[in-house]
Amino acid sequence: MLHEHKQTAPTQVSCAVITVSDTRNKETDKSGKLIKELLEKAGHHILNYEIVADERAAIQQAVRQAIEMGKVETVILNGGTGIAKRDVTIESAQPFLDKELPGFGELFRMLSYQLDIGSAAMLSRAIAGVANDRILFATPGSSGAVKLAMEKLILPELAHIVREIQKDLTS
């Protein structure tokens, strides 16, 4: 059954990429660039890319705009997912989620532990869920974390997830 689902999934997904950072700009945002490059290499479209400050109002405005854009099917945030006081991406994005996908965060932390940063993976609060009939991912901002999340979890299932979200929506 799963194989059939993947066969009927879209080949291209329209995406918004949001980097949460107080210090990065479009020239120095390695993680945002990496997300865009990996999405485009996989045949997906970037409809919106922006960098916002690690502040609740800025993050929520960017998420709200992205999930209300008519053609956006996927929103990927990176940065601001740690445990420092300024890390508010999770608290800012979570209220938009109609359904959470706890498996994403669980798998991300497991893979981070095994393949990347060892026990420091417990500090990651990466999440995913459905927001306004779009899939939303929030990953840490390091290039290693972004590469791992994109290559091992997001890209292999992105079209399948979008298909599942859209399969019973009426136009």
Side-chain angles (χ1 to χ4, degrees):
M1 192 71 167
L2 181 61
H3 183 67
E4 179 186 317
H5 286 186
K6 285 193 173 185
Q7 283 184 331
T8 60
T11 55
Q12 297 178 333
V13 172
S14 298
C15 308
V17 177
I18 302 168
T19 295
V20 178
S21 176
D22 291 329
T23 57
R24 296 181 195 167
N25 60 44
K26 289 193 177 178
E27 287 74 48
T28 61
D29 180 22
K30 285 193 280 186
S31 293
K33 284 181 190 172
L34 181 58
I35 292 169
K36 289 179 5 178
E37 285 170 15
L38 291 170
L39 285 167
E40 288 170 344
K41 186 177 172 190
H44 303 300
H45 298 292
I46 312 303
L47 297 182
N48 189 49
Y49 164 61
E50 63 183 305
I51 301 172
V52 299
D54 204 343
E55 295 170 5
R56 191 179 301 248
I59 298 165
Q60 287 187 328
Q61 180 180 357
V63 169
R64 185 176 295 109
Q65 286 176 340
I67 66 171
E68 290 176 358
M69 283 182 146
K71 295 194 185 298
V72 168
E73 298 166 306
T74 301
V75 178
I76 303 174
L77 294 103
N78 76 96
T81 64
I83 61 170
K85 196 164 197 75
R86 295 244 349 122
D87 292 328
V88 296
T89 297
I90 303 306
E91 292 77 10
S92 303
Q94 223 160 14
F96 292 100
L97 299 182
D98 304 312
K99 294 182 179 189
E100 287 194 47
L101 296 176
F104 173 76
E106 294 161 358
L107 287 168
F108 176 79
R109 285 181 282 281
M110 180 195 74
L111 291 169
S112 293
Y113 174 78
Q114 293 174 337
L115 305 175
D116 194 17
I117 58 173
S119 59
M122 76 172 83
L123 301 175
S124 170
R125 299 184 306 134
I127 63 166
V130 180
N132 193 33
D133 299 323
R134 282 119 174 116
I135 183 64
L136 182 145
F137 296 98
T139 73
S142 75
S143 295
V146 162
K147 185 177 191 314
L148 182 122
M150 292 297 293
E151 291 180 348
K152 299 287 186 186
L153 298 170
I154 296 173
L155 289 173
E157 292 301 324
L158 184 57
H160 178 219
I161 292 169
V162 169
R163 180 207 178 270
E164 287 299 303
I165 291 170
Q166 295 179 352
K167 74 179 180 183
D168 57 2
L169 296 179
T170 55
S171 302

